[in-house]
């Protein structure tokens, strides 16, 4: 039986690849996609999530809008990385599939209370606002969550939005505090691993070569998304962060890490949103997360390209038909 997941997301080109990878994978049963404000405001992330579902030919996936603002501070967005739409690099028409009426936080709570305990994995790809709110409103869900596999944080790589903080944790450090204190098994994909997963020219061209409009859209997103980090880091390609969450569920054996205590800095102006990771075990605090640091990046891109190839070959998406029209 497929593993049940909820994807909580702020698309984002790299979020798009995570969603496409999940939707292309029969091992995973995507119960719903919940949108959160992050890379761009909520009005765009919920719309982008629906565009991505339609691109995959999966307008049956329910998409819910969640939090427009972080739990306690003002939203910070990242148009300088992702473009004004959040999905710059490909020109998709507006989605036709509806947005669900239910609030994302309610959907998360209701789903966890309905499904058998220990069977649903949460996959946060953006700020942790929706998850933090759900755990605060209904603390009894914590014991029912199988695990939370999230993209966020960093240690040896430092931060990407400030010298100390990674974007997803920086945008809502209060929500991150709730999540890391929840007692739910957590696997984190920090910058330390995602910076090893780079969209080199060869890898992007393999994705473009999947063909047709699908290849054009996917490679267009990568071309746009990597320009910022290529310039910043001086590398061939930029890090492809969020799909690591889904790839971990599919191929955990290609990742390596260590169980550590992770606390979130919420006060300091200088280091707000920093993940304080006790990699060396000096604090005496109990481990609360599996901190992933290593990956077989060739295996990751082989998996991603193979699964995107399945979607490209199906080419069922009304989006694509309209693009080609
Ligand atoms: C994270 O921030 C966003 O810009 C990306 O989508 C990713 O989730 C990387 O720091
Ligand atoms: Ca994201």
């Amino acid at each position: 039986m497929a593993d049940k997941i909820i994807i909580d997301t702020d698309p984002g080109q790299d979020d798009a690849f995570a969603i496409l990878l999940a939707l292309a994978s029969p091992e995973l049963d995507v119960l719903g996609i919940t949108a959160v404000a992050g890379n761009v405001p909520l009005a765009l992330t919920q719309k982008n999530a629906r565009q991505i579902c339609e691109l995959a030919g999966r307008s049956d996936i329910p998409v819910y809008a969640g939090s427009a603002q972080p739990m306690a501070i003002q939203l910070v967005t990242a148009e300088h990385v992702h473009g004004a739409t959040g999905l710059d690099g490909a020109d998709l028409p507006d989605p036709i599939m509806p947005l669900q009426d239910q609030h994302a936080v309610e959907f998360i709570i209701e789903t966890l209370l309905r499904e058998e305990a220990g069977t649903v994995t949460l996959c946060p790809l953006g700020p942790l606002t929706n998850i933090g709110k759900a755990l605060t409103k209904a603390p009894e869900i914590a014991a029912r969550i199988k695990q939370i596999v999230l993209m966020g944080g960093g240690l040896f790589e430092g931060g990407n939005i400030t010298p100390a903080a990674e974007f997803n944790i920086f945008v809502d450090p209060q929500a991150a505090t709730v999540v890391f204190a929840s007692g739910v098994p957590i696997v984190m994909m920090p910058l330390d691993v995602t910076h090893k997963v780079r969209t080199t020219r060869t890898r992007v061209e393999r994705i473009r070569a999947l063909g047709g409009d699908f290849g054009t859209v996917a490679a267009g997103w990568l071309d746009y998304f990597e320009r910022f980090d290529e310039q910043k880091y001086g590398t061939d390609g930029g890090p492809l962060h969020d799909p690591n969450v889904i790839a971990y569920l599919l191929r955990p054996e290609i990742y390596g890490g260590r169980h550590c205590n992770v606390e979130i800095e919420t006060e300091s102006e200088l280091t707000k949103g920093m993940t304080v990771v006790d990699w060396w075990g000096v604090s005496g605090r109990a481990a609360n997360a599996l901190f992933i640091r290593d990956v077989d990046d060739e295996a990751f891109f082989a998996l991603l390209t193979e699964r995107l190839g399945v979607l490209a070959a199906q080419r069922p998406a009304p989006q694509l038909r309209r693009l080609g029209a």
Side-chain angles (χ1 to χ4, degrees), residues 54-249:
E54 289 191 356
L55 178 66
R58 292 298 304 276
S59 50
D60 58 305
I61 300 287
V63 175
Y64 303 82
S67 309
Q69 286 291 331
M71 283 177 78
I73 57 178
Q74 281 299 307
L75 178 66
V76 173
T77 53
E79 286 86 355
H80 61 293
V81 181
H82 299 271
T85 66
L87 284 181
D88 280 24
D91 194 14
L92 292 173
D94 284 346
I96 294 171
M97 64 183 277
L99 180 67
Q100 301 296 311
D101 290 335
Q102 192 177 27
H103 192 281
V105 172
E106 293 304 325
F107 167 74
I108 292 168
I109 294 171
E110 192 183 290
T111 304
L112 287 163
L113 294 179
R114 183 191 65 234
E115 297 290 336
E116 190 185 336
T119 62
V120 178
T121 294
L122 301 184
C123 301
L125 311 177
L128 289 159
T129 317
N130 288 339
I131 314 297
K133 280 188 183 172
L135 284 164
T136 303
K137 190 166 182 198
E140 67 273 23
I141 64 173
R144 304 181 65 84
I145 301 169
K146 180 177 180 185
Q147 60 178 342
I148 298 176
V149 185
L150 64 89
M151 190 281 138
L155 173 59
F156 302 102
E157 283 291 296
N160 60 358
I161 185 78
T162 74
E166 180 279 328
F167 179 78
N168 289 342
I169 307 294
F170 176 80
V171 172
D172 199 339
Q174 282 75 19
T177 301
V178 172
V179 170
F180 279 85
S182 67
V184 177
I186 293 173
V187 180
M188 67 189 279
M189 293 288 164
L191 297 177
D192 301 81
V193 68
T194 66
H195 280 189
K196 292 173 177 164
V197 176
R198 287 203 319 272
T199 57
T200 63
R201 211 34 18 213
T202 310
R203 290 164 174 170
V204 175
E205 293 315 322
R206 273 191 205 125
I207 287 174
R208 200 186 316 275
L210 294 174
D213 297 322
F214 189 94
T216 305
V217 168
W221 279 336
L222 293 175
D223 286 341
Y224 186 87
F225 183 50
E226 69 184 12
R227 86 212 180 288
F228 180 82
D229 283 333
E230 275 191 319
Q231 206 180 4
K232 183 168 153 192
Y233 300 119
T235 48
D236 174 14
L240 192 59
H241 307 281
D242 292 340
N244 285 283
V245 165
I246 305 300
Y248 175 83
L249 296 176

Side-chain angles (χ1 to χ4, degrees), residues 10 15 39 125-126 242:
D10 63 336
D15 301 70
N39 288 323
L125 311 177
D242 292 340

Side-chain angles (χ1 to χ4, degrees), residues 23-74:
L23 295 180
S25 297
E27 302 94 326
L28 300 176
D29 177 9
V30 182
L31 301 179
I33 295 180
T34 52
V36 66
N39 288 323
V40 287
L42 182 68
L44 289 171
T45 59
Q46 56 88 354
K47 174 182 159 197
N48 293 349
R50 290 182 290 138
Q51 283 181 318
I52 296 159
C53 288
E54 289 191 356
L55 178 66
R58 292 298 304 276
S59 50
D60 58 305
I61 300 287
V63 175
Y64 303 82
S67 309
Q69 286 291 331
M71 283 177 78
I73 57 178
Q74 281 299 307

